[in-house]
């Protein structure tokens, strides 16, 4: 999948006359975003994100968990669509397909998932929600701009067919792992229950957080299909955010359940 060359520019005449963007500038911004993820990784590893079982009053004002989840996730498809359609640049079929996959994922994360969670009475810090809105907004902006203006129709040679088809299979596999694992977690509690239980079955036999692994796999597959730096930056950030979370959750399970399976790993079966 080819991007416009470094010297070529896209002018957004329809909304902001005179504003020019290049594929190179968007890619440079995405590389800087990757650098920030790697720079902050030790901090993310050290500190537990204050939501779910780690919610903390130290973060200030809190709001209902379901509302917070909706607000911080819905910004992603909204920003992606806004930046994707920002200009009158013709949109390629592959770009539209990738936008559709993105929006389907976030329709589940922002609407279906919060409605299904049994978290009545639980809260989330407003500060964390605002940070997540900024994080999701930057990822969506970078990807929407590139997909809407610099992602061209593939040549459909053998290599590109294999890459796009392989990336799609990886994405679908990750989505399946994520959704099936979420279903197991959501069904652990009966209505009115708030206690934590040990999840069983499927990939929970081998790792503590297959739901998070599935999401990481999804965006790796997306990056392979898109084959651009903004998509790579989102995959890197997803791993930087979620891999430490799996480690923290695995530690919590081991510390709080005497009968927790000792052969389970945090993220990678038999390894880690």
């Amino acid at each position: 999948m080819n991007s416009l060359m470094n010297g070529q520019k896209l002018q957004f005449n329809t909304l902001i006359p005179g504003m020019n963007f290049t594929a190179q500038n968007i890619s440079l911004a995405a590389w800087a975003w990757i650098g920030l993820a790697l720079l902050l990784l030790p901090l993310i590893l050290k500190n537990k994100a204050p939501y779910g079982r780690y919610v903390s009053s130290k973060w200030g004002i809190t709001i209902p968990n379901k509302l917070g989840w909706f607000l911080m996730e819905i910004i992603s498809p909204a920003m992606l669509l806004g930046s994707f359609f920002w200009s009158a640049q013709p949109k390629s079929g592959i770009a539209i397909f990738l936008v559709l996959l993105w929006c389907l994922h976030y329709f589940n994360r922002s609407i279906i998932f919060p409605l299904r969670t049994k978290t009545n009475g639980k809260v989330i810090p407003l500060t964390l929600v605002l940070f997540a809105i900024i994080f999701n907004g930057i990822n969506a902006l970078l990807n929407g701009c590139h997909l809407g203006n610099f992602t061209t129709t593939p040549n459909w040679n053998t290599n590109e067919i294999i890459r796009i088809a392989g990336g799609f299979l990886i994405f679908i596999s990750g989505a399946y792992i994520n959704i099936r694992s979420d279903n197991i977690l959501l069904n652990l509690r009966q209505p009115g229950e708030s206690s934590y239980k040990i999840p069983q079955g499927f990939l929970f036999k081998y790792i503590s957080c297959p739901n998070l692994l599935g999401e990481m796999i999804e965006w790796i597959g997306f990056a392979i299909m898109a084959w651009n730096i903004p998509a790579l930056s989102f995959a890197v950030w997803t791993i930087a955010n979620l891999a430490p979370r799996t480690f923290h959750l695995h530690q919590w399970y081991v510390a709080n359940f005497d009968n927790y399976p000792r052969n389970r790993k945090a993220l990678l079966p038999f390894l880690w």
Side-chain angles (χ1 to χ4, degrees), residues 3 15 17 45 100 102 105 150 173 208 268 270:
S3 297
L15 294 179
L45 277 167
L100 177 62
W102 185 294
H105 171 89
F150 302 109
S173 298
S208 294
L268 300 176
F270 312 112

Side-chain angles (χ1 to χ4, degrees), residues 28 64 66 117 119 122 171 243 253 262:
L28 286 174
K66 291 185 178 184
T117 56
T119 57
K122 293 200 172 186
F171 182 91
Y253 277 122
R262 299 300 169 179

Side-chain angles (χ1 to χ4, degrees), residues 183-196:
N183 287 339
I184 292 173
L185 292 171
L186 291 170
N187 290 326
L188 284 176
R189 289 176 180 155
Q190 298 301 316
E193 288 186 335
S194 59
S195 60
Y196 290 97

Side-chain angles (χ1 to χ4, degrees), residues 113-269:
F113 180 78
L115 289 175
R116 296 184 62 206
T117 56
K118 303 179 179 74
T119 57
N120 292 331
K122 293 200 172 186
V123 296
I124 187 171
L126 179 60
T127 304
L128 179 64
V129 172
L130 294 176
F131 280 149
I133 287 173
I134 295 171
F135 166 76
N136 285 330
I138 292 173
N139 282 315
L141 177 65
L142 290 171
N143 280 274
C145 284
H146 199 289
L147 289 172
N149 302 291
F150 302 109
T151 299
T152 58
T153 302
N155 295 323
W156 296 118
N157 55 43
T158 301
N159 289 339
E160 290 202 335
I161 291 173
I162 292 173
R163 174 178 58 76
I164 294 172
F168 179 67
L169 288 175
I170 293 171
F171 182 91
I172 292 298
S173 298
Y176 173 76
I177 293 170
N178 176 253
I179 293 171
R180 183 169 175 183
S181 301
D182 273 347
N183 287 339
I184 292 173
L185 292 171
L186 291 170
N187 290 326
L188 284 176
R189 289 176 180 155
Q190 298 301 316
E193 288 186 335
S194 59
S195 60
Y196 290 97
K197 301 178 182 179
I198 300 175
Q200 303 287 352
F202 189 46
L203 293 182
F204 285 105
K205 180 178 179 181
Y206 305 103
I207 56 177
S208 294
C209 304
N211 54 322
L212 302 183
L213 174 63
E215 192 161 350
M216 287 183 257
I217 292 172
E218 276 188 76
W219 296 114
I220 291 172
F222 185 91
I224 292 172
M225 284 187 286
W227 209 244
N228 60 54
I229 306 306
L232 173 64
S233 72
F234 188 34
V236 170
W237 260 110
T238 300
I239 295 170
N241 266 331
L242 297 186
R245 181 75 174 177
T246 67
F247 180 66
H248 297 151
L249 291 174
H250 180 74
Q251 284 185 320
W252 184 91
Y253 277 122
V254 172
N256 286 273
F257 292 97
D258 293 334
N259 60 336
Y260 195 71
R262 299 300 169 179
N263 61 331
R264 277 192 200 179
K265 301 299 182 181
L267 179 61
L268 300 176

